[in-house]
């Protein structure tokens, strides 16, 4: 940090010189009874936010309240665990004290807390933390480490401008995230309606199924009557003298609810004679056989993104008869409340996990409107998906912008002096 090129009018200071004495938190047990004091723990801080309504209370010795109470502008840093070194700025909170696995930092006038909290997201900060612990933070963070951290110290007006700029980008991202959540809720509501009422207002009679009502004119048939279900290959098989090939394969981790995560594709050996048997084809609906109960039967469409790709035995490939059942329609039906209700009803359950087999999948009572109505349903839901994808891309780009600006602003490579008049 000391060797980093920064504007000549900036300082590099030890954090301990610009904050009051850092404090370890209070050792206590959370209670469901309202003591008047919230008890902030590491586990209450998720993705940089705290839902204060969900934070429990604790009994606290009145003599110790002043030592452990939190004020707006305080920063808490995780001492140990998976979030070691992560910080959280107290923006607005009820009466609260902080738990022992947190360290509280209260800055002095010359160092703005929001500026410091943004600094705690930089690569430079994490390099310092890692170096002081000898790598990977195995021993956690303590007060001496915090006090000896080197931090940049621009003039106050520049700190304000830097913090305001980064906060503006953050708020733009948060707005997109809220919009994304609403769009996902909208899609779920539309799926519920469409697979219950259909798209044709002229038909207003319904049939009862085990998992809710459906339009009277829709057929309900076992999935095996309108699709071929292909099982996958197992890992660790022995092939002896058989000729083998190494191919990319789709794993459970790649198959998510409504999309495929292809960021990491692994390879597997199979017999050369089995390639066709286990190969994925464009427009296959790929579904997982098990996992968390709320994600059972998750999956979506395979579009041939990776050539010569096969799939493992924990994933089914469903190949529909497109004259009767469109694969895209089936993928949405499986995602719907109707599909999830069926899979949960027939799943084999163990602790926190559930699974189905090919027999249960073949028996899935598929709601089958005519092809024209399937296409209308697809059109509506695909509009939602395009909006969701656009918002996800916007969030990713905004996040990239934030981190790029963070490093540039915190080293003074981008000057904010022309903007400081805003705060005069």
């Amino acid at each position: 940090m000391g060797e980093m090129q920064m504007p000549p009018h900036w300082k590099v200071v030890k954090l301990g010189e610009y904050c009051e004495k850092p404090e370890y938190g209070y050792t206590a047990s959370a209670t469901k009874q309202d003591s008047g004091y919230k008890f902030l723990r590491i586990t209450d801080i998720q993705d940089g936010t705290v839902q204060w309504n969900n934070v429990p209370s604790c009994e606290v010795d009145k003599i110790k309240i002043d030592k452990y109470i939190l004020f707006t502008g305080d920063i808490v840093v995780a001492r140990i665990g998976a979030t070691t070194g992560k910080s959280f700025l107290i923006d607005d909170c009820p009466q609260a004290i902080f738990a022992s696995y947190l360290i509280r930092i209260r800055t002095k006038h010359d160092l703005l807390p929001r500026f410091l909290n943004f600094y705690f997201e930089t690569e430079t900060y994490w390099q310092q933390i890692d170096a002081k612990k000898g790598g990977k933070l195995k021993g956690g963070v303590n007060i001496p480490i915090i006090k000896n951290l080197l931090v940049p110290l621009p003039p106050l007006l520049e700190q304000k401008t830097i913090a305001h700029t980064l906060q503006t980008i953050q708020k733009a991202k948060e707005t997109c995230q809220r919009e994304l959540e609403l769009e996902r809720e909208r899609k779920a509501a539309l799926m519920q309606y469409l697979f219950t009422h259909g798209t044709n207002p002229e038909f207003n009679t319904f049939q009862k199924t085990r998992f809710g009502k459906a339009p009277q004119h829709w057929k309900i048939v076992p999935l095996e009557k309108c699709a071929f279900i292909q099982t996958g290959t197992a890992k660790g098989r022995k092939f002896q003298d058989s000729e083998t090939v190494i191919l990319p394969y789709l794993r459970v981790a790649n198959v998510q609810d409504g999309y495929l995560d292809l960021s990491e594709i692994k390879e597997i050996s199979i017999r050369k004679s089995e390639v066709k048997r286990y190969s994925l084809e464009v427009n296959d609906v790929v579904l997982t056989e098990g996992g968390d109960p709320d994600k059972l039967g998750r999956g979506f469409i395979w579009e041939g993104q990776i050539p010569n790709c096969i799939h493992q035995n924990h994933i089914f490939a469903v190949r529909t008869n497109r004259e009767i059942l469109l694969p895209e329609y089936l993928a949405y039906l499986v995602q719907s409340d109707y599909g999830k209700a069926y899979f949960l009803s027939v799943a084999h359950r163990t602790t926190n996990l559930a699974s189905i087999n090919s027999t249960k999948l073949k028996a899935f009572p598929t709601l089958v409107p005519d092809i024209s109505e399937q296409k209308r349903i697809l059109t509506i839901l695909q509009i939602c998906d395009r909006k969701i994808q656009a918002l996800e891309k916007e969030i990713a780009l905004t996040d990239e912008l934030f981190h790029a600006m963070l490093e540039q602003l915190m080293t003074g490579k981008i000057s904010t002096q022309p903007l400081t008049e805003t705060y005069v």
Side-chain angles (χ1 to χ4, degrees), residues 6-134:
M6 289 190 300
H9 63 288
W10 286 26
K11 297 178 183 177
V12 176
V13 300
K14 285 188 176 181
L15 180 55
E17 299 169 1
Y18 283 81
C19 67
E20 298 178 14
K21 181 179 177 292
E23 293 284 358
Y24 295 121
Y26 185 60
T27 301
S29 297
T31 175
K32 293 181 180 179
Q33 296 179 347
D34 186 5
S35 67
Y37 288 90
K38 295 287 189 178
F39 188 47
L40 183 66
R41 306 158 299 173
I42 290 177
T43 51
D44 297 316
I45 302 171
Q46 301 292 334
D47 298 323
T49 61
V50 171
Q51 299 297 323
W52 287 105
N53 290 338
N54 299 327
V55 176
S57 297
C58 80
E59 297 294 336
V60 58
D61 186 334
K62 299 293 185 183
I63 298 174
K64 297 181 178 180
I65 288 175
D66 288 345
K67 183 176 180 180
Y68 298 111
I69 198 164
L70 290 169
F71 296 126
T72 296
D74 286 347
I75 296 171
V76 290
V77 176
R79 290 174 56 193
I80 60 173
T83 57
T84 298
K86 291 275 189 180
S87 68
F88 174 70
L89 175 65
I90 305 298
D91 229 344
D92 185 23
C93 72
Q95 285 188 321
I97 61 175
F98 61 108
S100 57
Y101 291 151
L102 296 168
I103 299 174
R104 185 192 64 204
I105 300 169
R106 187 171 290 160
T107 66
K108 294 179 180 177
H109 177 68
D110 289 339
L111 179 59
L112 295 179
R114 193 174 299 281
F115 173 85
L116 178 63
N117 194 55
F118 278 128
Y119 172 71
F120 285 159
E121 296 190 46
T122 64
E123 291 183 10
T124 305
Y125 164 73
W126 286 105
Q127 287 168 2
Q128 285 192 78
I129 291 289
D130 192 50
K132 288 186 180 293
K133 291 313 303 171

Side-chain angles (χ1 to χ4, degrees), residues 282-293:
V282 174
N283 291 323
D284 281 351
V285 180
V286 289
L287 304 171
T288 60
E289 71 167 12
D292 298 335

Side-chain angles (χ1 to χ4, degrees), residues 22 24 78-79 103 129 133 139-148:
Y24 295 121
R79 290 174 56 193
I103 299 174
I129 291 289
K133 291 313 303 171
V141 173
N142 56 36
I143 286 177
I145 288 175
I146 293 295
K147 292 174 70 174
N148 285 293

Side-chain angles (χ1 to χ4, degrees), residues 168-298:
T168 299
I169 299 172
Q170 261 189 347
K171 286 182 176 179
K173 178 183 172 182
E174 289 166 4
T175 299
C176 282
Q177 287 173 326
R178 286 193 295 272
E179 194 174 348
L180 176 61
E181 289 170 9
L182 288 172
E183 189 60 30
R184 285 175 173 160
E185 290 174 7
R186 178 170 172 265
K187 176 186 172 183
L190 277 170
M191 289 171 69
Q192 171 66 17
Y193 181 86
L194 290 169
F195 291 120
T196 302
H197 294 80
T199 62
N200 194 333
E202 294 179 7
F203 296 100
N204 55 10
T205 57
F206 302 95
Q207 57 183 312
K208 289 185 177 180
T209 77
R210 288 174 56 199
F211 313 107
K213 66 181 182 179
Q216 184 68 48
H217 62 288
W218 286 16
K219 296 177 182 177
I220 302 178
V221 298
L223 182 59
E224 65 179 340
K225 296 293 185 181
C226 47
F228 167 71
I229 288 85
Q230 176 174 288
T231 55
T233 184
K235 292 174 63 178
R237 297 165 62 206
K238 304 298 182 183
F239 301 110
Q240 298 177 345
D241 296 330
S242 300
E243 186 179 2
T244 62
V245 292
I246 299 175
L247 294 174
Y249 78 108
L250 208 63
R251 302 168 294 127
V252 171
N254 301 127
V255 182
Q256 300 300 315
D257 194 16
Y259 70 98
L260 301 180
D261 180 359
L262 305 180
S263 56
E264 182 184 13
I265 295 293
K266 296 188 176 182
E267 295 182 329
I268 194 171
S269 294
I270 62 167
R271 293 185 180 92
K272 194 172 182 179
S273 60
E274 296 175 326
V275 172
K276 185 176 180 181
R277 158 70 178 81
Y278 294 117
S279 289
L280 291 169
E281 295 184 8
V282 174
N283 291 323
D284 281 351
V285 180
V286 289
L287 304 171
T288 60
E289 71 167 12
D292 298 335
D294 64 331
K295 297 180 178 65
L296 186 64
R298 71 188 186 205

